[in-house]
Amino acid sequence: MSESKNAGAEPEIPMSDISEFLKDGKMSETCTTIAQNFHEYGLIIVKDPRVDPAENEKFIDMMEKYFGQPEGLKLKDVRKEFHYQVGATPNNTEKARDHCSKFDALGENDKPITECPPGADPKWRFFWRMGELPKETEFKQLNADPVYPEAFPEWPKTMNTWGSLILVDTVSTVSEMAALGFGLPQDSFTTRMKCGPHLLAPTGSDLQKHGAKGTVFASYHYDLNFMTIHGRSRYPGLFVWTRSGKKVRVKVPPGCLLIQAGAQFEYLTGGHVLAGYHEVVVADATLAAIEKAKAEKRSLWRVSSTLFSHIASDNILEPIGKFSTPEALKKYPPTKAGHQVQKELDHIKLGVSDSAEQPAKKQKTDQE
């Protein structure tokens, strides 16, 4: 496999410091830049002074221990009946949609490593529900209660601390800044996110077993939600594609966060922002990090400190404000966010039949 496919391409993704906005909450050049970068790259890198990098490290420490447990213990945390949208998702379960038809339009050095058609991803995942649950919803199986792993008494505090920092603080602020940058009311996105099925969603990839160069942990795909935010990983390997089809190796500076646009963001902007395609692979930089970790006798589980922010399930997805043109409405017809999510979950092999509603209703009865 040629290194060019792993090397990525320039330009570097620019970084935005949101400190000034936190002081006055007013429209600024940074708001415009964030909106432009979402349009051009489908992602941004931000520095939020409220987010302590030590909390990211504490979170990753715990998740390395969790994913390093025997498989039987992790399988106790699986909730297939809720689309795997809470608890653990075993390896070789998630399977990206087939986007192979897009590969031909990409330059030779910009093609994904993902095989065609894509196979199931070898990574594990854990979904932890964040934020307030809706009092009433049509989509109970997308708004289930969290799962608590038995061996980790520190779990709720660690998960909620990190999740709150990047959801309540960073994602909410960036959503307001992006709205202003697009010329929309400041709360255009945040009001729609209230009581959404937000998920802290760390992945765990076993580099001891799957550490060969070119191994694909997350096949070429876009995210189905509104915005996805990541802390800095201990093992590089994330590659993204810009609007123009250029492949870029993501390098998140220390103390910074990466935010990617998802399908719901694309929907609300009528395609002005596109859901960003990306894949996670073992590249040369990953191999170097593996060797360093071995020398230091550290965990060889690659953990992503990821959170998926969502539009509330019962809210309508449709192009808003200046993006609500006849052409955009034709391409992005109104639909409930919950229906959009269920359709996407079916495509990536995480959906279940309508019988999933029955456990959800029973759970509600038990809670009452």
Side-chain angles (χ1 to χ4, degrees), residues 301-313:
W301 279 87
R302 182 191 187 276
V303 172
S304 68
S305 49
T306 302
L307 183 140
F308 297 125
S309 68
H310 278 258
I311 300 304
S313 303

Side-chain angles (χ1 to χ4, degrees), residues 28 56 75 129 135 191 216-217 235 256 283-284 305 318 367:
S28 66
N56 184 42
L75 289 174
R129 184 68 168 75
K135 291 183 174 61
T191 54
V216 178
F217 288 119
Y235 294 94
C256 293
D284 282 343
S305 49
E318 60 184 338
Q367 289 173 339

Side-chain angles (χ1 to χ4, degrees), residues 17 23 30 43 47 50 52 73 141-142 153 193 215 232 239 246 248 255 258 276 305 307-308 315 346-347 352-353 356:
D17 190 327
K23 294 176 182 177
T30 306
L43 76 156
K47 185 172 183 61
R50 298 168 298 181
D52 183 355
L73 291 178
Q141 72 272 37
L142 298 181
M193 291 167 59
T215 300
R232 193 167 187 260
F239 293 81
K246 286 294 181 183
V248 180
L258 169 71
S305 49
L307 183 140
F308 297 125
N315 281 345
D346 286 339
H347 278 295
V352 295
S353 69

Side-chain angles (χ1 to χ4, degrees), residues 11-305:
E12 296 277 340
I13 306 298
M15 187 271 287
S16 297
D17 190 327
I18 64 175
S19 301
E20 287 302 315
F21 182 82
L22 295 175
K23 294 176 182 177
D24 57 27
K26 296 180 180 178
M27 171 64 181
S28 66
E29 184 179 342
T30 306
C31 297
T32 302
T33 299
I34 284 174
Q36 289 174 340
N37 287 342
F38 270 129
H39 171 70
E40 183 175 350
Y41 300 109
L43 76 156
I44 62 171
I45 292 175
V46 298
K47 185 172 183 61
D48 185 341
R50 298 168 298 181
V51 179
D52 183 355
E55 294 297 337
N56 184 42
E57 297 303 310
K58 187 186 302 182
F59 173 80
I60 291 178
D61 285 343
M62 185 182 73
M63 294 311 306
E64 286 178 345
K65 293 175 184 175
Y66 175 80
F67 288 124
Q69 293 182 112
E71 185 170 299
L73 291 178
K74 291 181 287 189
L75 289 174
K76 292 181 179 179
D77 300 326
V78 172
R79 300 292 186 272
K80 183 178 179 179
E81 66 271 24
F82 294 120
H83 301 274
Y84 300 98
Q85 293 299 285
V86 290
T89 304
N91 58 343
N92 300 314
T93 300
E94 289 187 30
K95 186 177 180 181
R97 296 182 70 164
D98 187 341
H99 299 293
C100 297
S101 60
K102 296 181 178 293
F103 291 12
D104 289 342
L106 299 172
E108 184 59 31
N109 291 336
D110 297 316
K111 294 185 186 299
I113 292 176
T114 296
E115 62 182 11
C116 286
D121 293 340
K123 68 180 184 294
W124 280 77
R125 190 189 291 281
F126 195 100
F127 279 132
W128 175 259
R129 184 68 168 75
M130 291 297 307
E132 183 183 355
L133 287 167
K135 291 183 174 61
E136 295 183 4
T137 178
E138 178 185 339
F139 306 95
K140 296 178 180 66
Q141 72 272 37
L142 298 181
N143 294 274
D145 286 332
V147 173
Y148 295 82
E150 293 177 2
F152 295 85
E154 75 276 27
W155 190 271
K157 182 179 179 181
T158 303
M159 299 294 272
N160 289 333
T161 298
W162 177 245
S164 295
L165 281 172
I166 58 177
L167 172 64
V168 178
D169 291 347
T170 307
V171 170
S172 296
T173 299
V174 168
S175 297
E176 292 181 345
M177 295 178 74
L180 290 173
F182 290 133
L184 300 171
Q186 186 167 336
D187 64 352
S188 294
F189 301 128
T190 51
T191 54
R192 290 171 168 84
M193 291 167 59
K194 183 175 174 57
C195 294
H198 313 300
L199 294 165
L200 188 56
T203 61
S205 303
D206 189 351
L207 296 169
Q208 187 73 47
K209 293 181 179 179
H210 306 289
K213 183 177 176 180
T215 300
V216 178
F217 288 119
S219 299
Y220 180 80
H221 71 288
Y222 61 80
D223 291 338
L224 60 85
N225 51 295
F226 176 55
M227 287 184 187
T228 303
I229 183 167
H230 308 267
R232 193 167 187 260
S233 175
R234 291 172 178 170
Y235 294 94
L238 175 63
F239 293 81
V240 300
W241 277 259
T242 67
R243 192 181 192 93
S244 62
K246 286 294 181 183
K247 181 180 180 180
V248 180
R249 178 165 66 92
V250 175
K251 291 173 279 188
V252 180
C256 293
L257 300 158
L258 169 71
I259 302 179
Q260 292 178 284
Q264 293 178 344
F265 201 170
E266 178 175 332
Y267 221 100
L268 292 172
T269 61
H272 181 75
V273 173
L274 296 178
Y277 282 92
H278 51 286
E279 70 178 359
V280 181
V281 304
V282 176
D284 282 343
T286 323
L287 295 177
I290 290 173
E291 291 307 309
K292 187 172 186 293
K294 285 180 177 178
E296 297 172 356
K297 295 181 169 39
R298 290 189 284 106
S299 172
L300 292 179
W301 279 87
R302 182 191 187 276
V303 172
S304 68
S305 49

